Amino acid sequence: MSLDLDSRRRAMLAEMGLKLFEPPGVPGGDEAASHEPARPAGLKPATGGAVHVPAPMSIAREAAPESVSSRPGVGLMGWDALEQAVAACRACRLCEGRRNAVFGVGDRQADWLIVGEAPGENEDLQGEPFVGQDGKLLDNMLKALGLDRHHKVYIANALKCRPPGNRNPEPQEVALCEPFLRRQVELLQPKIILAMGRFAVQSLLGSADPIGKLRGRAHQYMGVPVIVTFHPAYLLRNLPDKAKAWADLCLAQEVMRAQPAAGAPAGR
Ligand code: URA
């Protein structure tokens, strides 16, 4: 398969610290290392990595996980009511330390839904997801696809409140917050979901498998294809894996483009 990337995309790949080589191969799925984001993550200078673009893959059908919480009413809420419910939520103890619940940001008619893990300190302060160094990398990754966080993209987290000291979210916390994410998906009806990191995967797919095992094919959440990739904070610490992340983005774009247009039967 040959690549047909225009100069803008090449420039953005360079911005991500990636080089292009051809012919590309299918990315490996054999990462044994932890793919959890570093906390806190420091921005490191970009170094070159090689870009592999996967061949088209078939969509693997997987059932959406059941939440441990029924959360009556959430499934009927519109955007504003949902945002207010998140801001007022006291379902778990994360509410005790939050300065802001972080609902999500972006285009409510988005094709792309990016799902991260949980707010960190900056996000908790500003009330917006991915505003730190990992957010800058995410913005660059989106730019490489000709996207930005306000157009055709919506960004949300699996957890809406910051875990104290940026500790890992607990399974119960992920499960209690899942109905909010689920409703965001229902309202958005995105064409593609990009699940970044282990806790996004846990919430959307109910899977504890490593990222390396889940990459390279489309999963399903409520009928929407889900592509699994590394968390940006992990990529800041593991620069060679940026090439794999780029392959994941290319796969996501390919799967997204295969979805019915807005207004078609599955549209909004
Ligand atoms: N990491 C995430 O997963 N989400 C954020 O909003 C910020 C950092």
Side-chain angles (χ1 to χ4, degrees):
M1 183 172 66
S2 69
L3 292 176
D4 182 23
L5 296 177
D6 58 20
S7 53
R8 177 187 54 75
R9 186 170 292 180
R10 285 178 190 276
M12 291 316 307
L13 284 172
E15 194 174 329
M16 283 177 67
L18 297 173
K19 288 183 208 145
L20 192 68
F21 82 84
E22 298 175 68
V26 176
D30 56 348
E31 304 79 17
S34 162
H35 300 128
E36 289 176 43
R39 294 169 168 274
L43 184 64
K44 298 177 190 164
T47 59
V51 177
H52 298 256
V53 178
M57 310 255 177
S58 62
I59 292 178
R61 304 266 159 193
E62 290 179 17
E66 288 297 319
S67 168
V68 297
S69 162
S70 59
R71 293 291 184 100
V74 169
L76 299 173
M77 288 176 182
W79 279 110
D80 292 346
L82 188 64
E83 188 160 4
Q84 284 164 22
V86 166
C89 180
R90 304 201 63 82
C92 77
R93 61 194 167 142
L94 296 186
C95 65
E96 289 161 17
R98 75 174 170 227
R99 280 168 287 198
N100 289 291
V102 179
F103 180 67
V105 69
D107 184 347
R108 290 180 177 180
Q109 299 288 314
D111 291 333
W112 292 73
L113 171 61
I114 314 293
V115 180
E117 174 183 311
E121 185 177 15
N122 293 323
E123 291 77 18
D124 177 60
L125 272 173
Q126 296 183 37
E128 179 169 333
F130 283 106
V131 292
Q133 295 296 354
D134 44 6
K136 282 188 189 153
L137 176 58
L138 175 59
D139 286 339
N140 284 342
M141 292 164 78
L142 292 173
K143 254 201 253 179
L145 292 170
L147 300 167
D148 72 72
R149 65 168 61 205
H150 298 292
H151 301 102
K152 292 287 172 197
V153 174
Y154 194 88
I155 304 175
N157 283 314
L159 263 73
K160 309 305 187 204
C161 297
R162 181 192 180 201
N166 292 349
R167 67 159 167 76
N168 283 339
E170 291 172 3
Q172 173 88 351
E173 292 161 351
V174 175
L176 284 167
C177 230
E178 190 269 342
F180 292 136
L181 182 60
R182 174 180 288 254
R183 187 61 186 152
Q184 285 176 306
V185 173
E186 284 173 349
L187 291 169
L188 271 175
Q189 296 183 32
K191 290 185 186 167
I192 190 79
I193 300 174
L194 195 62
M196 303 191 103
R198 160 153 97 94
F199 298 101
V201 165
Q202 193 175 309
S203 181
L204 293 167
L205 304 179
S207 171
D209 284 347
I211 300 297
K213 203 171 161 194
L214 297 167
R215 293 179 53 246
R217 65 187 190 276
H219 307 265
Q220 289 277 314
Y221 179 78
M222 300 182 68
V224 182
V226 177
I227 300 298
V228 171
T229 193
F230 303 108
H231 192 282
Y234 166 83
L235 293 173
L236 289 171
R237 288 182 292 124
N238 297 274
L239 297 176
D241 278 346
K242 278 186 178 180
K244 292 177 182 168
W246 175 245
D248 297 337
L249 294 187
C250 291
L251 174 61
Q253 188 172 56
E254 193 180 311
V255 172
M256 194 279 292
R257 286 181 173 158
Q259 299 303 300
R268 12 189 114 82

